[in-house]
Amino acid sequence: GERKRVLVVDDVPQNRAMMLDLLQDAGFIVAAATNGLECLVLLDSFRPDLILMDVMMPVMDGNETTRRIRRMPGWGDIPIAAVTASASVEDERKSMDAGANAFLAKPVDHDLLLRTIGSLLSLKWITEPPAPAAPEVTGEAGMTVPPAGEIEKLWQLVQIGNMRKIREQAAYLQG
């Protein structure tokens, strides 16, 4: 189906990076915020399908951010998973009372995270490995799919936004 958008809200750069890498590898479109206030600002521009919300953050914590999102028109039903190192029963109750749909303890178990996301977004995971691709595939218009290494080079240039090099690589591939 259509790729889902996930907003990761965490004040610790390493936690954000780990989540972003995992989610990108799983095929999600991701964005990040460093605190609750940034999360609120990003909602309308990024339009996430799900939010992974750290609970303990400066500026505005995750529970307060969740409460505010639940009161915002058009955002009351967005799935929010609270993610925290403070994983007591009381912490879970506070997050659920604030409006979280799920509660995950840090360090986050990747399988549990993906199962939780799948459940919250009603996803059907495809877990079998893809069929091996032929080294060269020709499309209807006589086009040849470039080798994976060349596509990877192009993707890396897209990630850093180097338009000049992207055009050069695309021209090379076209040739």
Side-chain angles (χ1 to χ4, degrees), residues 6 17 41 66-67 93 130 153 155 158:
V6 178
V41 169
T66 299
R67 280 190 284 277
R93 184 193 60 74
K153 284 182 197 172
W155 175 245
V158 169

Side-chain angles (χ1 to χ4, degrees), residues 104-117:
L104 298 167
K106 290 181 183 177
V108 176
D109 175 279
H110 294 179
D111 290 335
L112 178 59
L113 173 66
L114 292 175
R115 281 195 310 273
T116 301
I117 290 172

Side-chain angles (χ1 to χ4, degrees), residues 9 35-37 39-40 53-68 98:
V9 186
N35 60 58
L37 189 57
C39 171
L40 296 175
M53 182 79 68
D54 183 23
V55 175
M56 306 291 278
M57 294 181 290
V59 183
M60 183 185 303
D61 73 32
N63 288 336
E64 177 60 24
T65 306
T66 299
R67 280 190 284 277
R68 290 187 185 198

Side-chain angles (χ1 to χ4, degrees), residues 77-148:
D77 294 333
I78 186 169
I80 300 173
V83 183
T84 184
S86 301
S88 72
V89 172
E90 179 66 13
D91 293 320
E92 182 174 2
R93 184 193 60 74
K94 286 179 182 176
S95 291
M96 300 307 272
D97 287 350
N101 302 91
F103 185 85
L104 298 167
K106 290 181 183 177
V108 176
D109 175 279
H110 294 179
D111 290 335
L112 178 59
L113 173 66
L114 292 175
R115 281 195 310 273
T116 301
I117 290 172
S119 174
L120 292 173
L121 292 177
S122 301
L123 299 178
K124 180 179 185 279
W125 295 104
I126 300 170
T127 56
E128 64 271 1
E136 189 173 309
V137 180
T138 303
E140 290 179 23
M143 294 175 58
T144 302
V145 176

Side-chain angles (χ1 to χ4, degrees), residues 6-19:
V6 178
L7 178 57
V8 175
V9 186
D10 198 310
D11 62 317
V12 178
Q14 297 84 348
N15 293 345
R16 280 194 316 272
M18 184 275 302
M19 290 286 221

Side-chain angles (χ1 to χ4, degrees), residues 143 146 167-175:
M143 294 175 58
R167 282 192 290 273
E168 288 173 7
Q169 181 71 9
Y172 169 76
L173 290 174
Q174 186 177 17

